[in-house]
Amino acid sequence: MIKRIHVLEDDEDIRYIIGVLLKDEGYELQLSSTFSELKEKLKDSVPDLFILDVMLPDGDGSDICTDLKTDMFTKHIPIIVMSANDQNKERSIAAGANDYISKPFDIDYIVKRINNLLEKK
């Protein structure tokens, strides 16, 4: 069964790169640039994994992580938080993130981390 990943990233270039990368790996994608867009898309389908940016126009990825981990419909879904600021790592893990990736990231590295989380599921 094809795994679905929801990427919440406001930077269009990074969203595009991650999208191409994960499609090449055989994943189905949902892409959002805002938290409100992600919430709207969750009404249609729930992903197998979330990738969240920290700095977003309508929220903070760590707070969004907390929201997703306390919602009965999404609390079981693994979350990877990404940020260019490593000071966000501790806060993201405390918010319930299953993993944290620093930007800029190595493409092979992010695929390996995603595969590891989805295999555990």
Side-chain angles (χ1 to χ4, degrees):
M1 192 168 143
I2 296 175
K3 300 284 187 178
R4 179 181 301 126
I5 298 174
H6 194 120
V7 179
L8 175 57
E9 169 63 63
D10 63 326
D11 184 296
E12 191 175 337
D13 294 333
I14 294 173
R15 203 170 52 246
Y16 174 78
I17 290 167
I18 292 173
V20 169
L21 166 73
L22 296 179
K23 280 184 182 176
D24 285 349
E25 290 293 318
Y27 292 110
E28 184 180 309
L29 288 180
Q30 292 175 308
L31 303 172
S32 297
S33 58
T34 64
F35 184 40
S36 56
E37 188 179 351
L38 177 143
K39 287 193 288 188
E40 194 60 38
K41 289 181 179 179
L42 282 178
K43 293 176 185 175
D44 296 327
S45 63
V46 178
D48 296 293
L49 182 134
F50 289 104
I51 298 176
L52 307 176
D53 185 22
V54 171
M55 301 292 288
L56 296 161
D58 64 343
D60 177 283
S62 297
D63 295 336
I64 294 167
C65 183
T66 300
D67 285 351
L68 292 170
K69 286 297 188 177
T70 55
D71 184 294
M72 67 181 276
F73 295 108
T74 57
K75 67 182 180 182
H76 65 285
I77 300 171
I79 297 174
I80 296 174
V81 175
M82 298 188 309
S83 178
N85 182 347
D86 273 344
Q87 293 178 343
N88 291 315
K89 181 176 184 175
E90 202 172 293
R91 194 165 155 248
S92 299
I93 299 300
N98 300 82
D99 204 349
Y100 178 89
I101 294 176
S102 297
K103 290 180 187 176
F105 52 83
D106 176 90
I107 290 173
D108 293 329
Y109 180 73
I110 195 170
V111 169
K112 183 178 176 186
R113 302 292 277 269
I114 289 167
N115 289 338
N116 285 343
L117 280 174
L118 289 175
E119 285 171 14
K120 289 180 190 175
K121 203 176 163 201

